[in-house]
Amino acid sequence: MSESSPLRLAIAALRAGRPVRIDGPEPRVITAVETATPELLALLYSSNRARLLISGERAAALALANERDAADPAAPVLIECADWLDASAALAIADPGRDLDRGPIGPLHPVHMDCARAAEAALDLARLAGLLPALWLLEDQPAAAVVSSDDIERARTAPNVELVARAKLPIDGMPNTQIVAFRGSDDGQEHVALVVGAFGGQPPLVRLHSECLTGDVFGSLKCDCGPQLKEALRIIGEAGGGVLLYLRQEGRGIGLANKLRAYALQDRGLDTVDANRRLGFGDDERDYAHAAAMLKALGIDRVRLLTNNPNKVAGLEAAGVKVVERVAHHMPANPHNADYLATKRKKSGHLA
């Protein structure tokens, strides 16, 4: 896709609070609850025409699962418009961080979903934009951007990358290292590869590391990301060479702001998986097609993978990169992340 691809324009418009048209067999116009402009909301309230679209996971958290039109947690849920359903109420419905600080909201009336594919694509677009999966479904509104449901589906299932820059990067205690920047040809996200030393035509030791601002930069003890990153570089360096991919997948793919919302829910007693679900996301929103495309662009199609996450092995292999060996990679727990690590093993299938 080009720099001005429909998907990139749609993501930018949604983040800016502008309406986006989802094209396809059942076209609809949507805007994000989290970012909708005051001017647009004023228009919506004056006409009282907007319905609220939320994920099935969020509907279940709001105890709507006993309603026929909200019974499937895997399916989007459409909430009937109402006079009281203004910007503040919609955000309180969308953001679970407010669940324990407010009284009951409603009544909430799920209605029949007459645009299921467009609704699923719209929620996927919100997730790609790093926004809460909660949207106003608009009637007869002009759109700032247009994207097809097929474009969104391709971005979720078959993304690609383009190599945009490459340079030497001296790193203390490491063999000669290059840094290579890639840009997602679908969503425009930038990822980097550290190519360390030389691996002599053998399958290199590879680490897929998801960006973690709190752990990698600030040294947070809530996760093991920072120590994992440092230890992976040490192991790759001692092996004489390999590749570390630094992927823009903050918070297991839900984005920085949503990760912090999940942290706040964890402070209230939820574990990391249940916090993601209450936000309206899956347990883990990451995929590894971008990572596989980066490796292929570097001429690598066979790897020794440094990981305890079987999903990374499966993701690379599904995208055409053979994992010839899994090399265990785990850090000791601390009092702040012991439950987090236990949850990853119990609920996400991470290996010891």
Side-chain angles (χ1 to χ4, degrees):
M1 295 187 185
S2 68
E3 288 290 333
S4 57
S5 74
L7 182 65
R8 293 187 195 184
L9 292 173
I11 288 173
L14 208 62
R15 287 173 175 165
R18 308 294 298 282
V20 173
R21 178 184 171 91
I22 308 293
D23 240 346
E26 40 193 31
R28 291 294 187 278
V29 177
I30 52 99
T31 194
V33 165
E34 192 174 351
T35 60
T37 63
E39 294 79 12
L40 178 60
L41 292 176
L43 180 63
L44 297 181
Y45 301 150
S46 65
S47 60
N48 196 28
R49 291 179 297 177
R51 294 177 291 175
L52 184 63
L53 178 65
I54 61 175
S55 71
E57 294 94 340
R58 185 67 186 134
L62 291 165
L64 296 180
N66 60 337
E67 299 273 357
R68 183 192 64 188
D69 292 305
D72 183 356
V77 173
L78 197 57
I79 304 296
E80 187 176 39
C81 57
D83 291 339
W84 60 266
L85 190 50
D86 58 13
S88 177
L91 192 57
I93 290 169
D95 186 351
R98 305 182 179 207
D99 285 354
L100 301 179
D101 298 322
R102 59 164 172 77
I105 290 180
L108 300 175
H109 295 301
V111 295
H112 174 67
M113 179 67 67
D114 56 358
C115 54
R117 188 177 181 205
E120 289 174 0
L123 291 173
D124 280 343
L125 182 65
R127 295 182 180 107
L128 286 168
L131 300 173
L132 288 167
L135 302 155
W136 293 109
L137 194 64
L138 312 181
E139 300 289 343
D140 303 323
Q141 292 292 330
V146 179
V147 64
S148 73
S149 52
D150 287 341
D151 282 340
I152 298 170
E153 176 66 15
R154 278 192 294 271
R156 298 288 289 182
T157 59
N160 203 353
V161 297
E162 55 183 315
L163 194 159
V164 294
R166 188 169 191 153
K168 295 178 180 178
L169 187 72
I171 297 178
D172 187 34
M174 297 287 286
N176 291 336
T177 301
Q178 294 184 56
I179 186 166
V180 187
F182 295 87
R183 182 176 295 123
S185 57
D186 44 15
D187 58 10
Q189 288 273 46
E190 293 178 343
H191 312 271
V192 299
L194 285 178
V195 182
V196 179
F199 26 93
Q202 299 301 311
L205 187 60
V206 170
R207 170 69 182 166
L208 311 185
H209 187 87
S210 297
E211 175 185 44
C212 179
L213 176 70
T214 50
D216 298 342
V217 177
F218 299 130
S220 167
L221 298 176
K222 288 179 71 73
C223 63
D224 57 345
C225 300
Q228 277 189 339
L229 176 60
K230 293 176 183 176
E231 181 66 3
L233 286 173
R234 186 193 67 78
I235 292 171
I236 290 172
E238 285 195 352
V243 180
L244 185 138
L245 302 186
Y246 196 83
L247 305 167
R248 299 294 297 276
Q249 298 176 330
E250 184 84 48
R252 298 201 304 276
I254 68 175
L256 178 60
N258 288 321
K259 183 177 84 168
L260 299 185
R261 290 183 171 114
Y263 278 1
L265 292 173
Q266 291 168 40
D267 291 342
R268 301 286 187 105
L270 274 68
D271 66 35
T272 182
V273 169
D274 288 341
N276 271 25
R277 290 174 180 167
R278 196 169 185 90
L279 282 163
F281 294 94
D283 299 3
D284 190 336
E285 291 283 339
R286 292 174 294 183
D287 70 69
Y288 300 102
H290 281 126
M294 292 166 69
L295 290 169
K296 290 177 183 177
L298 295 170
I300 298 167
D301 61 6
R302 292 165 60 82
V303 302
R304 298 167 57 230
L305 192 63
L306 189 60
T307 187
N308 290 337
N309 185 350
N311 290 336
K312 291 183 178 180
V313 176
L316 285 187
E317 295 209 322
V321 174
K322 176 67 176 175
V323 179
V324 300
E325 180 186 1
R326 182 189 73 84
V327 180
H329 188 56
H330 59 84
M331 300 294 106
N334 68 60
H336 301 277
N337 69 14
D339 289 342
Y340 163 79
L341 297 177
T343 298
K344 288 205 296 184
R345 291 191 296 271
K346 181 179 179 181
K347 291 189 174 182
S348 300
H350 284 218
L351 304 170

